[in-house]
Amino acid sequence: MVDFNRFTLANGLRVLVHEDDTTPMAVLNILYDVGARDEEADKTGFAHLFEHLMFGGSVNIPSYDEPLQRVGGENNAFTSNDITNYYITLPAVNLETAFWLESDRMLSLAFSEKSLETQRNVVCEEFKQRYLNQPYGDVWLKLRPLAYKKHPYQWATIGQDLKQIEDAKMEDVKAFFKKHYNPQNAIMVVGGNVKTQDVKALAEKWFAPIAPGEKYLRNLPQEPLQQESRQETVYAKVPLNAIYMAFKMPDRKNPDYQCFDLISDVLSQGQSSRLYNSLLKEQQLFSEIHAYITSSIDEGLFVVEGKLVEGVKMEQAEAAIWKELKKLKEHQVSTDELTKVKNKSESIMVFAEMSLLDKAMNLAYYELLGDAGLLNNEIDRYLAVTAEQMQQAARNTFVKEQCSTLYYLIAKDA
């Protein structure tokens, strides 16, 4: 159970406070309700680029890290297709430094050509190193547009084209900041050895003077129902042939979301899971195989991916995966299997409650989903999933006409 208090500033900034006097530390986490799905098709990668720009200094504080390091603080951030999240951890006695830093860059980020050029180069280099110049690195650059034809989930967080990042202009950057980086579009969580009244005083001092900005109303194109299978074959210099199968699954708020998470665990969690036992250990078709979900706020993906053992035919490996998915459709998961994956999910969530930063990030995310209090009921939703529910979900989902398959094969001259 994660206890918290909540208040909202006049400018629309939502603030949650988790008091924990068992630690001398504090965390300030700010979630901005903007991700790659909010980008324009010809300006992708901007949410991630902006994450980097936010560390380039503000008008009043040219070096973001230096004052934070002086007070024993650390910071980082991440971007997904749905959100951008920034966090600072530091001794609780120095909490005001975190308020000063975060409020200043929300208010007056420094838009210098030098900073843009520097961070643009950093992101371009990351694009090349992580996505273009390593084996299987561009899988999601190919799988997303194969699975999505209308929704902006069709591009990865890094962007769909390196040139779009290279061509990012100052006016585009300023427009993106004005649209998304304002109090109305943010959720702040402060946790640790703090008191709500003190946090409220600091929030009023540092964030209340910031103008609320214009409310961003998201209106994204809906992905139509996929009614025919899709395939794409890629040849590259990779050590092993690989297969990636993606099925649409319900959005994060859907009551069946936890059901799909548990199905992925039945298939792929640990060495007693079905895919590991059958396809890797017994049949020795794969050197590694996984099933997982993207946990997207809009309609997400259920993915099965594996790297084939050398010499195994792709047709044989793919048929073996379909056979395992068919078992889920035809037979209910056993009581023992269901209990095991439920227990694992419960232990993961309990463990997350031991981390101050995890609690802060989770509170912010569940508040974005509608109510931070949902965090305290999440375990119950997993425990309520039935074998019948999982079987029905498998029947509705694991259909060949609704599958997008990427075959990643060793190039002939590799």
Side-chain angles (χ1 to χ4, degrees), residues 296-316:
S296 305
I297 288 183
D298 293 334
E299 185 181 46
L301 294 177
F302 188 107
V303 180
V304 179
E305 66 169 62
K307 293 182 175 64
L308 282 61
V309 168
E310 187 174 356
V312 171
K313 299 291 186 183
M314 181 61 73
E315 295 80 7
Q316 181 186 8

Side-chain angles (χ1 to χ4, degrees), residues 120-174:
R120 186 167 47 202
N121 290 337
V122 169
V123 172
C124 286
E125 192 61 29
E126 179 183 346
F127 198 120
K128 293 172 186 175
Q129 287 187 0
R130 292 183 57 192
Y131 296 86
L132 302 182
N133 298 336
Q134 67 170 301
Y136 316 103
D138 62 348
V139 163
W140 281 98
L141 300 182
K142 298 181 182 300
L143 188 59
R144 281 190 175 277
L146 186 64
Y148 293 101
K149 298 302 179 183
K150 295 289 185 182
H151 194 282
Y153 282 161
Q154 64 190 274
W155 53 79
T157 305
I158 194 72
Q160 62 182 345
D161 187 345
L162 182 60
K163 191 174 187 325
Q164 293 181 353
I165 302 170
E166 292 174 336
D167 292 345
K169 302 291 191 296
M170 181 60 72
E171 58 265 30
D172 299 327
V173 168
K174 288 184 176 180

Side-chain angles (χ1 to χ4, degrees), residues 83-300:
I83 65 171
T84 309
N85 193 85
Y86 302 84
Y87 59 87
I88 292 174
T89 58
L90 75 176
V93 293
N94 298 324
L95 179 61
E96 188 162 10
T97 299
F99 272 84
W100 169 55
L101 288 168
E102 287 294 352
S103 64
D104 197 67
R105 65 179 179 177
M106 181 189 284
L107 173 67
S108 52
L109 194 67
F111 293 106
S112 70
E113 289 289 351
K114 181 181 179 181
S115 176
L116 176 57
E117 181 66 19
T118 299
Q119 299 306 328
R120 186 167 47 202
N121 290 337
V122 169
V123 172
C124 286
E125 192 61 29
E126 179 183 346
F127 198 120
K128 293 172 186 175
Q129 287 187 0
R130 292 183 57 192
Y131 296 86
L132 302 182
N133 298 336
Q134 67 170 301
Y136 316 103
D138 62 348
V139 163
W140 281 98
L141 300 182
K142 298 181 182 300
L143 188 59
R144 281 190 175 277
L146 186 64
Y148 293 101
K149 298 302 179 183
K150 295 289 185 182
H151 194 282
Y153 282 161
Q154 64 190 274
W155 53 79
T157 305
I158 194 72
Q160 62 182 345
D161 187 345
L162 182 60
K163 191 174 187 325
Q164 293 181 353
I165 302 170
E166 292 174 336
D167 292 345
K169 302 291 191 296
M170 181 60 72
E171 58 265 30
D172 299 327
V173 168
K174 288 184 176 180
F176 192 89
F177 180 82
K178 182 179 179 182
K179 183 176 182 179
H180 299 290
Y181 279 76
N182 58 62
Q184 289 191 78
N185 208 43
I187 299 168
M188 181 167 70
V189 178
V190 181
N193 197 358
V194 300
K195 297 297 182 185
T196 300
Q197 63 267 27
D198 297 331
V199 171
K200 191 167 188 178
L202 288 171
E204 291 284 355
K205 176 181 177 180
W206 291 105
F207 284 91
I210 302 175
E214 295 182 18
K215 183 64 177 175
Y216 165 56
L217 299 176
R218 186 176 283 111
N219 184 24
L220 304 180
Q222 297 300 302
E223 186 69 20
L225 177 67
Q226 182 173 337
Q227 296 181 313
E228 60 180 10
S229 62
R230 300 168 186 160
Q231 297 88 27
E232 182 178 345
T233 302
V234 176
Y235 293 92
K237 292 182 178 180
V238 291
L240 296 168
N241 291 331
I243 183 172
Y244 302 83
M245 301 166 60
F247 303 86
K248 301 294 192 327
M249 63 162 281
D251 61 83
R252 185 60 182 80
K253 297 181 184 180
N254 189 286
D256 280 337
Y257 167 82
Q258 290 77 15
C259 173
F260 282 86
D261 198 10
L262 290 177
I263 291 174
S264 72
D265 288 345
V266 167
L267 287 174
S268 178
Q269 188 182 79
Q271 297 186 5
S272 62
S273 62
R274 293 188 178 190
L275 295 181
Y276 182 91
N277 261 328
S278 177
L279 306 190
L280 191 149
K281 188 176 179 182
E282 294 174 8
Q283 300 181 55
Q284 298 182 6
L285 300 175
F286 290 87
S287 62
E288 60 178 88
I289 187 160
H290 310 280
Y292 55 89
I293 60 177
T294 57
S295 301
S296 305
I297 288 183
D298 293 334
E299 185 181 46

